[in-house]
């Protein structure tokens, strides 16, 4: 009777253990699997099955690796590992191995395999516990790739520094001469940031704001938002007091060893490249003959000032048309006419501030947007100064009687957009021509009527 009771008791305990084990298999997020001594799958959790590209445990139970994996190489590898485990009699702990690819991208797992034995100590199978470490492996690979900058600097790079933001220290820094310029050694993070902040030449730019707000909390927020790269191009004062264009590149990453938020800082020389870009832009927006802004640029900048300007601003738009200019071309030829237009452009430019916009519409027509002009008296004084300057240039051709007519529209009184103001100035120019030329006319509603 005692033997029967023990048998029944053992059966009840076995059922309890089996029920509990099945519950674990059905609910755990871990990747677990069990193989028998013939290396046939006998149990598996759903996460493990899904990483193999299957749906439910029944899809692999009763099968071997060669029947489960599409990749013959993976099946051979897993089978060899299992045989080595059983032959050695020693468990395998935290072995890194590949997983089946997903959407063509490689994946990795760390797997521990334990030998299962019966009461007599005989091997009856194995238990595997895997953890997907794809993100960790990719992070480590990226981390190692970024560290390459700390061993070999590209030719255009002044500085590469590895910053531990958590410990607030410079782990490593490498510097070199670029175009005869060289950064100084930074003793610590505070020194690096102070020099960066103080040497930003444009105090209103985004680079200075970035360095003023530079902190672990700020960069952690950027990192957690999913952004990994920060790039800024700005004018910086170099140690020799030269003002140069540089590009600061920050690459945010986690140190896979201790989890600290870190950054790779790379400071590149872009001075010559930036000057070339600016020259190309300057040429594209300038009139080829006179060097003044061309029609397209005047439209773009004019809309920025007049269509989207600040409330309360006061500006004036001048339209200038030369009277009798055709006679210069007819008498002296087009080459002399072009030289006259260039001298004329210089005279017009000399009457206005660098903040004003001076452009050539084409032929002998010019346009000016005079910014921040509070009264009509100031505008009229400037217009007369302009007329006199043009007359001095035109005096070289007394027989042709070259003069100028000027039409003026005021912002916002006459118009609140570039188009409206241009129309008003053009109407005023027409009035100046109609009244006998060589004069200045302001637009007024009475004229329009």
């Amino acid at each position: 009777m005692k033997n029967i009771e023990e048998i029944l008791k053992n059966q009840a305990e076995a059922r309890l253990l089996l029920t509990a084990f099945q519950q674990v298999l059905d609910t755990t997020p871990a990747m677990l699997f069990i193989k028998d001594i013939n290396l046939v799958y006998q149990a598996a959790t759903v996460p493990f099955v899904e990483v193999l590209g299957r749906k439910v445990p029944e899809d692999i139970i009763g099968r071997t690796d060669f029947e489960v994996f599409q990749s013959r190489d993976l099946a051979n590898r897993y089978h060899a590992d299992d045989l080595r485990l059983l032959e050695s009699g020693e468990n395998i702990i935290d072995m890194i191995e590949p997983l089946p690819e997903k959407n063509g991208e490689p994946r990795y797992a760390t797997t521990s395999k334990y030998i299962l034995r019966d009461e007599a100590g005989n091997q009856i199978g194995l238990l595997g516990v895997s953890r997907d470490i794809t993100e960790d492996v990719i992070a480590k690979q990226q981390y190692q790739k970024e560290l390459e900058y700390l061993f070999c600097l590209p030719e255009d790079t002044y500085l590469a520094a590895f910053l531990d933001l958590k410990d607030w220290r410079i782990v490593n820094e490498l510097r070199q001469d670029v175009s005869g310029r060289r950064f100084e050694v930074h003793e610590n993070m505070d020194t690096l940031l102070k020099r960066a902040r103080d040497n930003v030449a444009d105090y209103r730019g985004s680079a200075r704001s970035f360095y003023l707000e530079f902190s672990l909390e700020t960069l952690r927020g950027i990192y957690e938002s999913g952004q990994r790269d920060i790039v800024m191009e700005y004018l910086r004062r170099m140690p020799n007091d030269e003002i140069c264009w540089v590009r600061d590149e920050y690459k945010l990453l986690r140190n896979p060893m201790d989890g600290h938020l870190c950054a790779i800082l790379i400071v590149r020389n872009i001075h010559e490249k930036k000057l070339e870009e600016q020259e190309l832009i300057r040429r594209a927006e300038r009139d080829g003959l006179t060097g003044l802004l061309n029609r397209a640029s005047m439209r773009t900048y004019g809309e920025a000032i007049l269509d989207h300007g600040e409330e309360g601003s006061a500006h004036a738009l001048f339209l200038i048309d030369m009277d009798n200019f055709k006679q210069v071309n007819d008498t002296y030829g087009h080459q002399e006419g072009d030289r006259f237009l260039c001298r004329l452009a210089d005279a017009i430019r000399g009457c206005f501030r660098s903040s004003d916009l001076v452009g050539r519409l084409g032929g002998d027509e010019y346009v000016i947007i005079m910014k921040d002009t509070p009264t009509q008296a100031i505008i009229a004084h400037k217009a007369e100064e302009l007329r006199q300057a043009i007359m001095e240039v035109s005096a070289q051709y007394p027989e042709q009687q070259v003069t100028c007519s000027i039409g003026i529209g005021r912002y916002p009184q006459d118009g609140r957009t570039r188009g409206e103001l241009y129309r008003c100035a053009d109407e005023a120019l027409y009035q100046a021509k109609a009244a006998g030329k060589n004069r200045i006319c302001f637009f007024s509603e009475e004229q329009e009527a």
Side-chain angles (χ1 to χ4, degrees):
M1 177 68 80
K2 182 177 180 180
N3 290 335
I4 295 176
E5 290 177 353
E6 289 180 354
I7 291 173
L8 292 175
K9 179 181 179 182
N10 291 338
Q11 289 178 342
E13 290 176 350
R15 284 196 300 272
L16 177 62
L17 291 174
L18 286 173
T19 301
F21 180 68
Q22 189 62 51
Q23 184 69 22
V24 170
L25 290 178
D26 292 341
T27 60
T28 182
M31 294 193 297
L32 305 177
F33 60 89
I34 295 176
K35 294 179 181 179
D36 62 23
I37 197 63
N38 297 314
L39 303 181
V40 176
Y41 285 99
Q42 297 298 326
T45 61
V46 171
F48 177 78
V49 172
E50 289 179 343
V51 85
L52 303 186
R54 306 302 180 100
K55 295 181 179 180
V56 293
E58 287 72 20
D59 291 338
I60 69 170
I61 291 175
R63 299 181 180 183
T64 67
D65 287 331
F66 296 104
E67 298 171 299
V68 168
F69 292 98
Q70 293 182 352
S71 169
R72 187 75 178 181
D73 291 339
L74 284 182
N76 282 328
R77 174 171 182 152
Y78 298 150
H79 185 73
D81 288 342
D82 292 345
L83 290 178
R84 187 172 69 252
L85 168 71
L86 297 176
E87 290 172 0
S88 68
E90 296 181 0
N91 296 332
I92 297 175
I93 306 299
D94 290 337
M95 173 180 59
I96 296 177
E97 57 185 4
L99 291 171
E101 293 184 353
K102 183 176 183 180
N103 300 324
E105 297 294 330
R107 291 188 297 171
Y108 303 90
T110 177
T111 299
S112 296
K113 294 182 179 180
Y114 305 92
I115 299 175
L116 301 177
R117 301 177 185 274
D118 61 18
E119 294 179 353
N122 300 315
Q123 296 179 351
I124 59 174
L126 62 87
L127 166 67
V129 182
S130 295
R131 181 172 64 89
D132 190 333
I133 59 167
T134 302
E135 291 187 4
D136 295 339
V137 171
I138 292 175
K140 188 171 294 185
Q141 291 173 342
Q142 182 68 22
Y143 181 81
Q144 292 170 344
K145 180 181 178 181
E146 301 298 351
L147 290 183
E148 292 177 2
Y149 281 99
L150 301 179
F151 298 97
C152 182
L153 294 182
E155 292 182 358
D156 66 345
T157 303
Y158 292 113
L159 166 77
F162 178 50
L163 313 176
D164 188 319
L165 302 174
K166 178 68 165 57
D167 286 345
W168 203 248
R169 65 188 180 94
I170 301 174
V171 178
N172 195 12
E173 178 181 88
L174 195 63
R175 299 169 298 115
Q176 69 179 359
D177 287 342
V178 179
S179 300
R181 313 178 195 104
R182 187 181 182 89
F183 275 48
E184 299 171 312
V185 175
H186 300 100
E187 295 81 8
N188 51 52
M189 281 284 292
D190 292 333
T191 301
L192 185 150
L193 294 174
K194 184 178 188 304
R195 287 180 184 165
R197 181 176 61 248
D198 294 347
N199 288 313
V200 175
D202 183 3
Y203 272 40
R204 298 167 299 177
S206 59
R208 181 167 172 81
S209 298
F210 172 79
Y211 281 114
L212 285 172
E213 299 171 1
F214 194 105
S215 67
L216 173 60
E217 291 72 23
T218 300
L219 294 175
R220 181 185 289 128
I222 294 173
Y223 181 85
E224 291 176 351
S225 72
Q227 183 177 346
R228 297 293 181 267
D229 297 299
I230 303 168
V231 179
M232 297 169 293
E233 296 184 353
Y234 64 98
L235 284 167
R236 176 171 179 146
R237 187 180 303 279
M238 306 300 287
N240 63 357
D241 284 336
E242 186 180 2
I243 303 296
C244 295
W245 280 98
V246 300
R247 180 167 69 233
D248 289 1
E249 301 174 3
Y250 283 89
K251 298 180 181 295
L252 302 179
L253 64 163
R254 291 280 185 190
N255 185 330
M257 275 69 85
D258 56 22
H260 286 193
L261 180 62
C262 299
I264 300 291
L265 166 61
I266 303 163
V267 183
R268 297 183 184 274
N269 168 40
I270 60 168
H271 189 64
E272 290 74 21
K273 179 182 177 182
K274 200 72 175 181
L275 293 182
E276 291 176 2
E277 290 178 357
Q278 290 178 333
E279 177 61 20
L280 290 175
I281 293 173
R282 190 196 71 79
R283 290 180 183 178
E285 67 183 18
R286 296 285 169 173
D287 172 58
L289 177 64
T290 65
L292 300 180
L293 292 171
N294 58 31
R295 179 187 291 268
S297 297
M298 286 300 298
R299 173 185 291 273
T300 299
Y301 292 133
E303 288 177 351
I305 295 170
L306 303 173
D307 294 35
H308 310 290
E310 296 180 2
E311 190 69 27
S313 299
H315 311 298
L317 189 148
F318 294 63
L319 282 181
I320 305 168
D321 186 77
M322 300 305 298
D323 307 319
N324 306 320
F325 168 71
K326 184 176 182 298
Q327 295 181 21
V328 176
N329 278 336
D330 293 344
T331 305
Y332 301 102
H334 287 282
Q335 287 188 343
E336 179 60 26
D338 287 348
R339 283 192 286 269
F340 169 66
L341 291 176
C342 290
R343 291 192 293 271
L344 190 64
D346 291 339
I348 296 172
R349 187 190 292 110
C351 290
F352 292 90
R353 303 160 296 180
S354 60
S355 59
D356 298 325
L357 301 182
V358 181
R360 180 185 178 214
L361 296 178
D364 58 347
E365 294 181 283
Y366 298 84
V367 59
I368 298 104
I369 295 179
M370 185 178 177
K371 297 170 63 178
D372 303 318
T373 53
T375 67
Q376 183 164 324
I378 292 175
I379 300 171
H381 177 78
K382 179 59 68 174
E384 180 57 28
E385 178 186 335
L386 173 63
R387 192 183 71 83
Q388 291 297 329
I390 293 174
M391 290 298 294
E392 290 180 12
V393 178
S394 301
Q396 300 175 50
Y397 312 98
E399 296 181 1
Q400 282 66 43
Q401 297 182 340
V402 180
T403 59
C404 71
S405 299
I406 302 174
I408 302 173
R410 296 180 62 196
Y411 174 94
Q413 294 92 325
D414 301 330
R416 290 185 171 273
T417 67
R418 186 204 64 84
E420 291 175 357
L421 207 61
Y422 182 91
R423 182 178 62 81
C424 293
D426 190 52
E427 175 65 25
L429 177 62
Y430 174 81
Q431 294 294 331
K433 292 279 192 181
K437 304 180 181 180
N438 191 25
R439 66 192 63 227
I440 301 162
C441 282
F442 281 82
F443 174 81
S444 67
E445 293 297 335
E446 290 77 13
Q447 288 176 343
E448 189 179 42

